[in-house]
Amino acid sequence: MIGLLARTVDNRLRASKFLRSAINHVFPDHWSFMLGEIALYCFVILVATGVFLAMFFDGSSAKVIYHGSYGPLRGVEMDKALESVIHISFDVPAGLLIRQIHHWAANIFIGAILVHQARIFFTAAFRKPRELNWVVGMTLLILAMVNGYLGYSICGDLLSGAGMRIGYSILLSVPVIGPWITFLLMGGTVPVDATIPRMLALHIFLVPALITVLIAVHLGIIWRQMHTNYPGPHRSHKTIVGSRLWPSYTLKSLGLFLLIFAVVAALGGLVQIDPVWVYGPYNPVAILPGAQPDWYLGWVEGAMRLFPGVHIASSGKLWVPEVFFPAVLFPAGLFGLLYLYPFLDELFTFDAREHHVLRLPSEQPFNTAFGCGLIALLVVLEFAGGDDVVAVAGDLSVVEIRAVLRVLVFVLPVITWAVAYALCRRARGRHSGLGAGAGFAEGGGAQGDGMNAG
Amino acid sequence: MSERDRDRVSEPGRTQAHVSDKQSKKAASLPGSLLALGVLLWEWATKTARSERRHPRRAEFASPPPGCAECAEKAKRGAKPSEALKVEPVSHEQIGTFLVVCAFLVALAGGIGFLITYWTGGSNLVLGATLALCFFGLGMTLILWSHLLTLNIEVAEPREPMQSPPEERQTAVEDFQAGANQIHRRGLLKWMIAGASGTFGAIFLTMFRSLGQSPDSTIYSTVWKRGQRLVTSEGKPVSVDMLVPGSTVIVFPEDSIGSEKSQTVLVRVDESLLQLPSDRMDWAPNGNLAYSRVCTHAGCAVGMYETTTHQLVCPCHQSTFAVLRAAEPSSGPADRALPQLPLYADEDGILRAGGGFSDIPGPGYWGMP
Amino acid sequence: MTAVEVGPSHMPSFAYVLSVDDMRVVSHFVTDKIASIPLGEGDIGKGGDLFRMYCASCHHTSVRGGALAYDGSNAPSLAGKSPELIAGAVRWGPGPMPPFPASVIDDKQLSSLVTYIRAVQNPAKPGGIALNWYGPVVEGCVAWFAVLGLVGFTIWIEKGGKG
């Protein structure tokens, strides 16, 4: 039967050579190389569940009085968007399950991207020729975060509406062009009825299309360049070691996909997420405590809470409002630095050769320390973003928590940096004298050969 | 005059030069020390890299690859480039088969459970759990198959360098050049392409204009007009004695109830506690204070009022504003006071606005007056 | 009566200040005052709108409470509180909570408000475990556990792989 299929396709496409190289493609065997696939399969789940949701969702800010099955909101005026989401959650068979799977998958998607990116960073897989893929990956991360924000904001509930109001203010704070781009992109002065429909268009058309294209580019580049190897016997810039796509990798990868679906389905069924009926409709006069964005923007929220209030004004006019620094400048600076990181690494290591063997974290103390320090900073900021929830949950004082965090945000990254650096140097010290360890040449002559350019 | 004195007097220039030398040395010392610091930092940051270059420890680029003396031997003997390095034999095929069948049965059970739950209108919890069980079973089937029932072979294959061989690159460039040479009047074409790109770019950017309006005059508005009555969200006019000291209510101008920009918080405090600036002493009849409810930090409604400490608190980022001191920020990330509304009581005791807000309400933008 | 005697949270205890009889008189006075508010079935929709405008900013729409920044304490959860206690709190504003006299929230509105609060004291949880409605913060924690769990799965899938 396979023969029949092969003949049918091949008679029309002359695909044998390509198919042969495809099924024989070698992928190295290590669990840390499968982290990107977690993200990929989460995206597939998002698209599948998203199509289902799009059938029922009404992305309109037209006001309607709710008369559905959820009692406490009967007679309340709300956007049609919120009414359709409550309808999906309470009335559509399996609607709530699909909706919750969608939202859980979105949260896990971005977490998986970050774990994958951390692996790339700590093994210096972004070196030539993979700087291009690093840039593509960073863009994917940003698009994923944007789509997540758009996705939960189109529901029109009080929690995400507060987030949209804050987003409006952040856009407004951009120097010179702020009011223009805000009025243009959001559609007018807040609260804007035009915003939800255009956010819907971005969330279900443009951004997923961009993500899909970039994923294809991302995978295409990996395919072309062949995957990297950890240092080890037989592994070098001239030889790749691993298993073939067919049958080894196919089975493992598909198995992983099914397990991921199982995890998000379990969460979708067992753990409630984003109960919009509890938050109620967005009303600019109403607000609620614990109005955080989804976790992947928690670090920006934390920055907005911890940054001291500083604004720039002169000659009786305000020029730069307070929110600009934590919410625009800081994230832009951080992302800019990360985008440029492979090129900076090339500069600081004087190394522009092609690399196909990874650099272990202990062999790059600066990189590893920087990465650890950055993670520590982001963790503190995430914590700060949720400090009022922590205060309520633990019956603590949010004032005291914040005072501690103001100190921690400087101290913890520095300590983490120092400790990581020291550990790396110690680990290298153990190896350097002997030249032993994985990937080092057996026998003599290796030192001399190592000086060859790639 | 001693010789020394003569020397000193006869060379005033040198003394001056000596003085200015010192000054210029002082002036040069700051950029100089910054430069020195920069160099030190560079030296430290690149120390590892430079020592790596001198004493590379890993034979990533060694040829033959490390541990591959046998590969070199095989190559000499004419063996194929890709050959199995390691073959994991399939042992315990019986147990493997048993386990994958179990996993598959779990998946079937989950799937059937899902179908039953769906058609009988079951709860979200059971739907999710059965679906998860189904996928879990299928996933485990495949992975157990991969672990226990598949011959896993590790191979080594040659990598191609990412640079094309120089001849190929040269040929590609030459092909392009040859094709380009087939187009006549290329110079003119280049100008036209530039022009067309500019035009299409302008058209594309212009389409954005359809998305919305330019910022209109509403962003400069202080919203209230003198003489407007304060009303609650139900439209009831607010009298001077409606609140007791310590209580609060949300008010709007009569003509825009429920509007985001005009929402105002009315607080009543004991008059003796007021610490308003001198030009606002008559803005608070009977201790009634009115402030804009839109936080100057990021625009959330400043909904929390702590009556014992007289603080308006915004729940979004915990900016607090001291009600007794014209809502100046007392803690948190806001740096500008909430705009205050001047109030007066008319002859019926109804509170009316004495003008617009003291500032434009909201978080602010470039050039806000 | 117990509150007067014991002095919960910010409230001082009056056990050594007032005699037992005096304490009884005070508590009867308060109870009568609250009893005079008709707490029958109000309009749940209007009660919800009122709640979101005035109460949700401190107590959260899920009535589980919120952090008070300057004061450092936390607005308490309303779950399990009796309608009389809630009505009393609204009228007299305990601690940092402002009072809402009848001129601001009249008896009819108060009755709707209490009806709404009673309806959501145990909010519907069709989606599963509600994580106490703490919101995106705790949902993010759960998502991270899931991510780490999935990483654990990948380690098991590729066990023995040397990379």
Side-chain angles (χ1 to χ4, degrees):
Chain A
M1 200 186 72
I2 299 290
L4 175 67
L5 189 67
R7 276 198 302 278
T8 316
V9 170
D10 191 53
N11 282 345
R12 290 154 180 80
L13 293 174
R14 196 170 164 147
S16 294
K17 187 154 172 242
F18 170 73
L19 282 177
R20 193 164 170 245
S21 77
I23 60 182
N24 282 336
H25 197 93
V26 174
F27 281 107
D29 292 312
H30 197 269
W31 61 267
S32 63
F33 296 161
M34 292 183 84
L35 299 174
E37 284 170 48
I38 302 178
L40 172 68
Y41 292 131
C42 281
F43 182 66
V44 171
I45 294 170
L46 282 170
V47 171
T49 50
V51 168
F52 180 94
L53 292 173
M55 308 271 188
F56 300 96
F57 182 72
D58 185 357
S60 156
S61 279
K63 299 287 180 272
V64 74
I65 308 282
Y66 181 72
H67 289 300
S69 22
Y70 182 62
L73 284 177
R74 280 204 199 107
V76 172
E77 190 184 76
M78 57 175 66
D79 290 353
K80 274 201 175 147
L82 182 61
E83 192 207 20
S84 67
V85 175
I86 299 179
H87 175 69
I88 292 173
S89 304
F90 283 89
D91 303 316
V92 173
L96 184 61
L97 179 68
I98 301 293
R99 188 181 152 243
Q100 300 206 143
I101 289 180
H102 191 76
H103 204 145
W104 279 120
N107 281 356
I108 293 172
F109 178 43
I110 298 172
I113 294 179
L114 286 174
V115 168
H116 167 64
Q117 182 179 24
R119 195 286 288 172
I120 303 285
F121 184 87
F122 285 115
T123 54
F126 49 69
R127 292 177 298 172
K128 190 186 243 179
R130 294 174 179 82
E131 314 102 313
L132 189 60
N133 232 7
W134 171 268
V135 167
V136 172
M138 279 294 302
T139 314
L140 278 169
L141 172 65
I142 293 174
L143 286 175
M145 288 165 70
V146 165
N147 222 26
Y149 175 76
L150 290 173
Y152 71 77
S153 297
I154 51 179
C155 295
D157 58 292
L158 184 54
L159 182 70
S160 61
M164 277 229 287
R165 178 61 178 100
I166 296 174
Y168 191 100
S169 310
I170 292 173
L171 263 185
L172 202 62
S173 75
V174 174
V176 185
I177 54 172
W180 292 88
I181 56 175
T182 314
F183 270 67
L184 209 60
L185 295 175
M186 298 293 235
T189 185
V190 69
V192 197
D193 273 0
T195 313
I196 285 185
R198 61 185 61 183
M199 284 167 75
L200 180 70
L202 287 176
H203 179 76
I204 69 178
F205 292 142
L206 184 62
V207 182
L210 285 175
I211 293 180
T212 309
V213 166
L214 284 178
I215 288 180
V217 169
H218 201 68
L219 293 177
I221 293 177
I222 297 171
W223 189 277
R224 187 91 184 94
Q225 294 176 337
M226 309 282 278
H227 205 284
T228 49
N229 268 122
Y230 278 113
H234 310 284
R235 292 149 169 85
S236 75
H237 78 302
K238 282 207 175 115
T239 317
I240 182 172
V241 176
S243 305
R244 300 210 187 273
L245 177 61
W246 174 257
S248 305
Y249 229 73
T250 316
L251 288 174
K252 290 179 196 163
S253 207
L254 280 179
L256 180 62
F257 174 41
L258 293 163
L259 284 180
I260 294 169
F261 214 141
V263 167
V264 285
L267 282 175
L270 299 171
V271 189
Q272 190 166 270
I273 184 169
D274 201 18
V276 288
W277 55 90
V278 172
Y279 301 137
Y282 177 61
N283 176 354
V285 179
I287 192 67
L288 77 187
Q292 276 88 5
D294 268 7
W295 74 267
Y296 40 88
L297 291 174
W299 57 285
V300 182
E301 173 80 7
M304 281 202 278
R305 294 179 184 206
L306 290 184
F307 265 58
V310 168
H311 68 281
I312 300 180
S314 73
S315 29
K317 286 202 175 158
L318 173 71
W319 299 112
V320 184
E322 303 93 338
V323 272
F324 174 73
F325 300 103
V328 181
L329 200 58
F330 168 60
L334 181 62
F335 280 123
L337 178 64
L338 287 176
Y339 262 109
L340 291 175
Y341 205 87
F343 308 101
L344 292 173
D345 183 86
E346 244 173 65
L347 188 69
F348 276 81
T349 57
F350 309 108
D351 188 356
R353 296 173 294 182
E354 235 175 73
H355 287 277
H356 297 285
V357 178
L358 294 172
R359 206 164 63 188
L360 295 174
S362 59
E363 290 171 353
Q364 40 173 13
F366 183 85
N367 249 20
T368 308
F370 176 82
C372 292
L374 183 61
I375 291 176
L377 175 67
L378 292 174
V379 166
V380 173
L381 286 179
E382 288 269 341
F383 202 84
D387 58 3
D388 59 340
V389 173
V390 173
V392 172
D395 203 19
L396 304 161
S397 159
V398 70
V399 176
E400 286 168 12
I401 294 177
R402 198 163 286 193
V404 169
L405 286 171
R406 280 190 204 280
V407 172
L408 266 183
V409 77
F410 292 108
V411 163
L412 200 66
V414 170
I415 293 179
T416 315
W417 180 305
V419 167
Y421 196 85
L423 285 175
C424 287
R425 294 304 293 266
R426 248 189 82 213
R428 284 182 65 224
R430 261 188 257 125
H431 286 158
S432 62
L434 303 167
F440 298 165
E442 294 158 5
Q447 289 271 323
D449 284 349
M451 310 253 321
N452 289 347
Chain B
M1 222 186 285
S2 70
E3 276 197 18
R4 227 181 296 146
D5 289 331
R6 234 186 297 133
D7 280 344
R8 234 183 283 146
V9 166
S10 63
E11 301 195 54
R14 192 210 268 186
T15 322
Q16 281 173 354
H18 179 63
V19 167
S20 68
D21 238 352
K22 257 197 184 152
Q23 281 175 341
S24 63
K25 269 202 192 124
K26 271 200 193 131
S29 67
L30 180 61
S33 40
L34 280 178
L35 189 64
L37 189 65
V39 170
L40 274 174
L41 276 175
W42 172 267
E43 293 278 304
W44 171 77
T46 56
K47 186 170 89 160
T48 314
R50 283 179 289 116
S51 77
E52 268 286 322
R53 284 211 305 186
R54 280 197 294 273
H55 308 289
R57 294 166 307 105
R58 193 186 330 124
E60 177 183 337
F61 298 103
S63 177
C68 231
E70 44 191 283
C71 296
E73 281 303 310
K74 285 183 188 165
K76 274 197 208 141
R77 285 189 326 239
K80 280 178 288 196
S82 96
E83 237 180 80
L85 293 178
K86 191 168 59 171
V87 179
E88 280 172 27
V90 174
S91 49
H92 313 295
E93 201 167 307
Q94 311 284 58
I95 300 176
T97 318
F98 175 72
L99 285 173
V100 299
V101 169
C102 284
F104 189 73
L105 287 175
V106 165
L108 263 185
I112 293 172
F114 179 84
L115 288 169
I116 294 175
T117 318
Y118 183 96
W119 287 107
T120 57
S123 73
N124 181 67
L125 211 128
V126 181
L127 272 180
T130 47
L131 193 65
L133 205 63
C134 178
F135 279 117
F136 182 73
L138 289 175
M140 291 303 277
T141 311
L142 283 180
I143 293 165
L144 287 170
W145 216 298
S146 154
H147 281 171
L148 301 170
L149 294 175
T150 312
L151 198 68
N152 284 315
I153 304 176
E154 188 179 79
V155 297
E157 273 210 347
R159 287 184 192 267
E160 279 182 329
M162 280 298 110
Q163 279 182 326
S164 309
E167 324 78 61
E168 251 183 59
R169 198 184 277 189
Q170 186 61 27
T171 322
V173 172
E174 278 167 11
D175 279 351
F176 182 79
Q177 297 282 33
N181 287 338
Q182 289 173 257
I183 305 174
H184 290 237
R185 296 290 205 128
R186 276 197 304 283
L188 186 59
L189 181 62
K190 279 187 197 146
W191 280 109
M192 288 186 175
I193 290 176
S197 314
T199 314
F200 278 123
I203 293 176
F204 177 74
L205 288 173
T206 301
M207 296 307 286
F208 276 89
R209 182 67 181 79
S210 308
L211 282 177
Q213 55 198 85
S214 319
D216 56 21
S217 57
T218 57
I219 61 168
Y220 295 114
S221 162
T222 52
V223 186
W224 291 78
K225 307 268 177 307
R226 183 179 170 80
Q228 276 187 310
R229 291 192 301 177
L230 274 63
V231 297
T232 64
S233 56
E234 271 98 43
K236 190 169 85 171
V238 178
S239 73
V240 162
D241 288 312
M242 179 167 134
L243 296 177
V244 302
S247 66
T248 175
V249 70
I250 303 172
V251 295
F252 302 92
E254 281 175 284
D255 59 351
S256 54
I257 297 177
S259 140
E260 196 263 355
K261 256 202 154 206
S262 61
Q263 55 177 317
T264 305
V265 57
L266 184 70
V267 176
R268 188 167 180 193
V269 298
D270 196 333
E271 276 188 276
S272 58
L273 298 171
L274 287 173
Q275 297 166 47
L276 293 172
S278 45
D279 55 337
R280 297 193 191 181
M281 294 298 242
D282 54 346
W283 284 24
N286 290 61
N288 286 291
L289 294 158
Y291 297 109
S292 161
R293 222 165 154 261
V294 184
C295 186
T296 53
H297 179 238
C300 294
V302 181
M304 300 163 109
Y305 178 54
E306 290 177 13
T307 194
T308 40
T309 48
H310 309 287
Q311 301 285 336
L312 278 166
V313 182
C314 178
C316 286
H317 309 103
Q318 288 77 44
S319 302
T320 65
F321 303 92
V323 160
L324 301 173
R325 289 194 299 277
E328 66 175 31
S330 43
S331 78
D335 202 27
R336 286 166 291 128
L338 293 173
Q340 186 172 2
L341 183 70
L343 296 174
Y344 69 92
D346 66 9
E347 55 280 358
D348 300 316
I350 303 292
L351 283 173
R352 288 179 186 259
F357 279 123
S358 57
D359 294 289
I360 297 171
Y365 49 86
W366 180 268
M368 180 167 100
Chain C
M1 172 73 176
T2 330
V4 179
E5 209 176 319
V6 169
S9 75
H10 292 251
M11 177 171 167
S13 155
F14 287 91
Y16 297 101
V17 178
L18 298 173
S19 69
V20 173
D21 284 325
D22 281 342
M23 283 200 274
R24 275 212 195 95
V25 166
V26 167
S27 57
H28 278 145
F29 171 74
V30 170
T31 321
D32 284 343
K33 272 265 179 191
I34 297 175
S36 68
I37 306 170
L39 289 179
E41 280 305 303
D43 183 328
I44 204 173
K46 288 216 172 69
D49 282 331
L50 259 176
F51 186 84
R52 277 183 289 277
M53 232 178 31
Y54 282 107
C55 323
S57 53
C58 291
H59 290 284
H60 199 272
T61 50
S62 69
V63 307
R64 55 119 170 109
L68 300 174
Y70 196 85
D71 191 67
S73 62
N74 296 313
S77 163
L78 302 180
K81 303 283 195 296
S82 71
E84 290 79 23
L85 189 60
I86 294 172
V90 171
R91 278 282 180 261
W92 286 294
M97 174 171 168
F100 294 91
S103 47
V104 178
I105 296 181
D106 63 31
D107 287 345
K108 192 154 155 278
Q109 286 176 311
L110 181 56
S111 161
S112 299
L113 189 60
V114 172
T115 311
Y116 173 80
I117 293 174
R118 291 182 70 189
V120 297
Q121 272 176 328
N122 270 323
K125 299 186 282 199
I129 304 168
L131 307 168
N132 210 26
W133 293 276
Y134 284 134
V137 173
V138 93
E139 289 162 7
C141 293
V142 172
W144 265 106
F145 276 119
V147 170
L148 294 175
L150 285 172
V151 172
F153 270 133
T154 34
I155 296 176
W156 177 68
I157 292 173
E158 277 281 24
K159 62 178 186 201
K162 297 256 184 328

